[in-house]
Amino acid sequence: MWWGGRGQSFNIAPQKEEPEMGPSGPQSVQGSGMPEPRNPQLGSCLVSGCLPGEQILAWAPGVRKGLEPELPGTLICTNLRVTFQPYGWQRHQETSLSSDYDFALVNIGQLEAVSSLSRVQLHRPGSLLKFIPEEILIHGRDFRLLRVGFEAGGLEPQAFQVTMAISQARAQSSQTQQYSGIALSKTGQSSGSKKPPIPLLETSEDWETERNRQGAKGWRVSLVNERFDVATSLPRYFWVPNRTLDSEVRRAFGHFHQGRGPRLSWHHPGGSDLLRCGGFYTASDPNKEDIRAVESMLQAGHSDVVLVDTMDELPSLADIQLAHLRLRALCLPDSSVSEDKWLSALEGTRWLDYVRSCLRKASDISVLVTSRVRSVVLQERGDRDFNGLLSSLVQLLSAPEARTLFGFQSLVQREWVAAGHPFLTRLGVTGVGEKAPVFLLFLDCVWQLLQQFPAEFEFSEFFLVALHDSVRVPDTLTFLRDNPWERGKQSRQFNSYTQVYTPGYSHPPDGNSINAQLSVWDWDLRYSKEQILQFHNPGYDPEHCQDSWLPRQQPSFMVPGPPSSVWLFSRGALTALNQLCPWRDSPSLLAVSSRWLPRPAISSESLADQEWGLPSHWGACPLPAGLLLPGYLGPQIRLWRRCYLRGRPEVQMGLSAPTITGLQDELSCLQELLKKWTPRISPEDHSNKRDPNPILSQSC
């Protein structure tokens, strides 16, 4: 497997000697807390493999099971991670916390201890183990499973020690401790003045550069939230219409949930604008000036405005969380579902249904943006989950530059990180709040697009898997906080700020001053050059992304909408509205835009039929330049096997990228399987049929 090549080696050799016990427990190796072996050379090797700030707490020899062939090695628990190091496995470059053998403590979802007679104990953080385990199973939150069996039938004292160490480390670890220990080592490897590989959008200059790149001439960078006194969940800077004063922005934003008023998300080269905002605040009482300001910001200089209820026909956060839990339970190797019922069980998780719903709605919104010159407003009550998901998918479908490696990373930084998606809460790291892996659902949607349009994306599936795993690797602040204010406070990016009360948010813990420019996009700090090369899609056609892919002037296929028209897009149909803001009609209809009028029936024709008058099968009429419309029916939505079934090595065969390295790895693994399945023959025959490429076989 490709990911199996990552990770750094502790260079541990097999040994059978038990540690010496002191009066207060096991003695440590050079202050690391590691039970001191009688072999001094072994102790120095253990410590030399650690990161700066990392301490080895316990270790035990064992065998990784579930693989063919089984791998003997050593299971190691530190204050940052749990790692399994096969004997003799060496790496020429340190790529910490990036291996199939490494589990950050925050990434461990479940720990099971197993003894004889099928005795299993679900070991919770801080609980006491009641027996000496013969095996332990470490379930990763990212669908990985590490199953380690211990020698001597589970009678080794080290097996008990390492299991208890894992439990105690999980209980005692905190986000601040993990971050400080790893970030310091990263900062030492990189220059403090190093320019981030992707603009972090933490300065007004970054936002101005991005605005110019999009050609959004009717918009400007607002400084109204520079001190986070409008909303802590919003970035310090964002785009508002040129003619809107900051004083008007401040008052208008107060009428939206959590102060998240309408602002530009993306400017289409044809002239349309995609906006996002929170739900209208029910307790507000706007005056005429505020209503005019809100209408002006929603219209964004366009006569045609479409309000999109983001949550319409999409699952709730609870639905997504339940589907993800069911999917993870189904995809683990120890799933109790029989093979003949596996596909029906997969459908029962509803995960693929939710992927299908997101792609369908994003496809409809893309038609709205590209078919007319208008303002399309995404409205979600909190404006921090599905607004980001749909806005990102719309840009991927409509803008070829967003499908480049640089463009996609910039898109995630802008629409998710800077926009204040609550990563910690949604991924369940904080233990409070609504858990729902919305960002992981988005990555699955992107993978579906990559499968349907393989020549349109510069990045590969390996990049998506790396990004999927990075959300739980505690080495940067990118995914370790819920909003830009917490992220900046943790990194001491700003020393003075005005605190405002935002319901549902707690103060971030104080931490050490760290390099604020370090981000998840610094891939070279965790991956080798060979691995980063596989982030690129070899089938990508660069001609699909040109600076002049769509002229800045209004294209012929995009025409202005009806004058002074306001529409509600709900359940696949456009419904005319009398007013843009709900306050003018009735104060009881303020919360959700789609409740202004009764929901229309689902349209029998596609939105493309309504907007362009084209047949549903498109016929000979080409799509507008740069637009992709994905399929979302039946088998067009597939299971992301490389990500979700990585705990089953036999399923991973045949999933390597179409590169020379990938083909070599496949060939090596196939040769090993042939050796295992070939009937026993004489030593002379073995010498005649020796592997012609022994170097390849070592990488299997």
Side-chain angles (χ1 to χ4, degrees), residues 86-405:
Y87 293 146
W89 187 38
Q90 300 288 336
R91 292 296 296 165
H92 60 85
Q93 180 177 353
E94 293 184 355
T95 54
S96 59
L97 292 179
S98 303
S99 170
D100 269 347
Y101 302 102
D102 286 332
F103 286 73
L105 293 177
V106 69
N107 189 32
I108 298 178
Q110 184 173 303
L111 177 65
E112 290 182 329
V114 183
S115 69
S116 58
L117 302 178
S118 300
R119 186 179 182 186
V120 180
Q121 177 182 345
L122 182 61
H123 207 47
R124 293 178 173 82
S127 62
L128 180 64
L129 185 62
K130 300 178 181 179
F131 54 86
I132 298 178
E134 296 179 1
E135 292 182 11
I136 64 171
L137 286 78
I138 302 175
H139 298 262
R141 299 180 188 271
D142 55 4
F143 290 86
R144 290 182 297 159
L145 173 64
L146 179 62
R147 179 183 176 188
V148 179
F150 299 107
E151 301 178 2
L155 299 180
E156 289 281 355
Q158 292 157 292
F160 180 87
Q161 295 171 4
V162 72
T163 306
M164 287 300 303
I166 296 173
S167 177
Q168 294 171 3
R170 291 179 63 200
Q172 297 174 1
S173 65
S174 67
Q175 291 299 310
T176 303
Q177 292 171 344
Q178 293 187 43
Y179 176 79
S180 300
I182 301 177
L184 292 176
S185 69
K186 305 298 183 186
T187 306
Q189 298 177 26
S190 60
S191 173
S193 59
K194 174 184 175 182
K195 183 179 180 180
I198 301 298
L200 302 183
L201 298 177
E202 294 175 345
T203 65
S204 59
E205 291 77 12
D206 287 345
W207 286 91
E208 182 65 24
T209 300
E210 178 63 19
R211 186 193 68 83
N212 291 331
R213 189 183 68 83
Q214 294 188 16
K217 297 181 180 179
W219 299 81
R220 67 176 180 86
V221 179
S222 174
L223 310 181
V224 69
N225 197 44
E226 193 168 27
R227 294 169 61 88
F228 293 99
D229 52 354
V230 172
T232 56
S233 64
L234 283 176
R236 301 175 69 183
Y237 312 99
F238 44 80
W239 298 311
V240 297
N242 280 333
R243 297 182 179 180
T244 306
L245 302 177
D246 277 351
S247 58
E248 296 176 318
V249 172
R250 183 185 299 274
R251 293 197 307 269
F253 275 39
H255 302 297
F256 290 84
H257 186 67
Q258 295 184 0
R260 298 180 67 89
R263 60 207 184 280
L264 178 66
S265 180
W266 176 60
H267 175 75
H268 188 276
S272 293
D273 290 310
L274 181 66
L275 287 71
R276 56 185 293 183
C277 66
F280 293 109
Y281 186 41
T282 58
S284 65
D285 184 19
N287 53 36
K288 293 182 179 179
E289 290 76 13
D290 289 352
I291 291 180
R292 283 196 293 266
V294 170
E295 289 182 336
S296 175
M297 297 176 69
L298 292 174
Q299 290 175 337
H302 299 282
S303 60
D304 188 16
V305 184
V306 179
L307 296 171
V308 180
D309 179 11
T310 303
M311 289 303 300
D312 181 42
E313 296 184 291
L314 292 186
S316 66
L317 295 178
D319 292 336
I320 295 177
Q321 174 68 4
L322 180 60
H324 192 261
L325 292 176
R326 289 175 175 173
L327 179 67
R328 191 172 66 185
L330 178 65
C331 292
L332 288 177
D334 57 350
S335 174
S336 59
V337 178
S338 60
E339 184 176 354
D340 58 335
K341 297 182 179 179
W342 200 89
L343 291 179
S344 60
L346 175 62
E347 287 297 323
T349 65
R350 300 295 306 279
W351 180 260
L352 297 184
D353 288 338
Y354 299 153
V355 172
R356 184 178 294 108
S357 300
C358 293
L359 287 177
R360 178 173 182 173
K361 185 139 192 173
S363 179
D364 287 344
I365 298 173
S366 299
V367 172
L368 290 173
V369 173
T370 57
S371 60
R372 299 286 190 276
V373 178
R374 55 165 53 120
S375 171
V376 179
V377 183
L378 305 179
Q379 189 172 36
E380 178 191 15
R381 185 175 187 273
D383 182 36
R384 302 178 67 185
D385 294 296
F386 290 100
N387 270 5
L389 184 148
L390 291 177
S391 176
S392 300
L393 290 180
V394 168
Q395 295 178 56
L396 286 173
L397 293 174
S398 308
E401 62 265 27
R403 303 168 205 150
T404 64
L405 191 58

Side-chain angles (χ1 to χ4, degrees), residues 639 641-642 644-655:
L639 178 68
R641 293 193 297 163
R642 181 178 293 280
Y644 302 145
L645 297 178
R646 69 176 98 185
R648 300 184 176 186
E650 71 281 1
V651 180
Q652 298 297 319
M653 295 300 300
L655 298 182

Side-chain angles (χ1 to χ4, degrees), residues 6 56 76 136 215 226 254-255 296 383 385 507 523 610 671:
R6 295 176 291 166
I56 297 178
I76 305 168
I136 64 171
E226 193 168 27
H255 302 297
S296 175
D383 182 36
D385 294 296
H507 297 171
W523 297 109
Q610 305 173 49
Q671 289 171 343

Side-chain angles (χ1 to χ4, degrees), residues 428-441:
V429 179
T430 58
V432 296
E434 290 186 280
K435 302 177 183 179
V438 181
F439 183 69
L440 303 185
L441 179 65

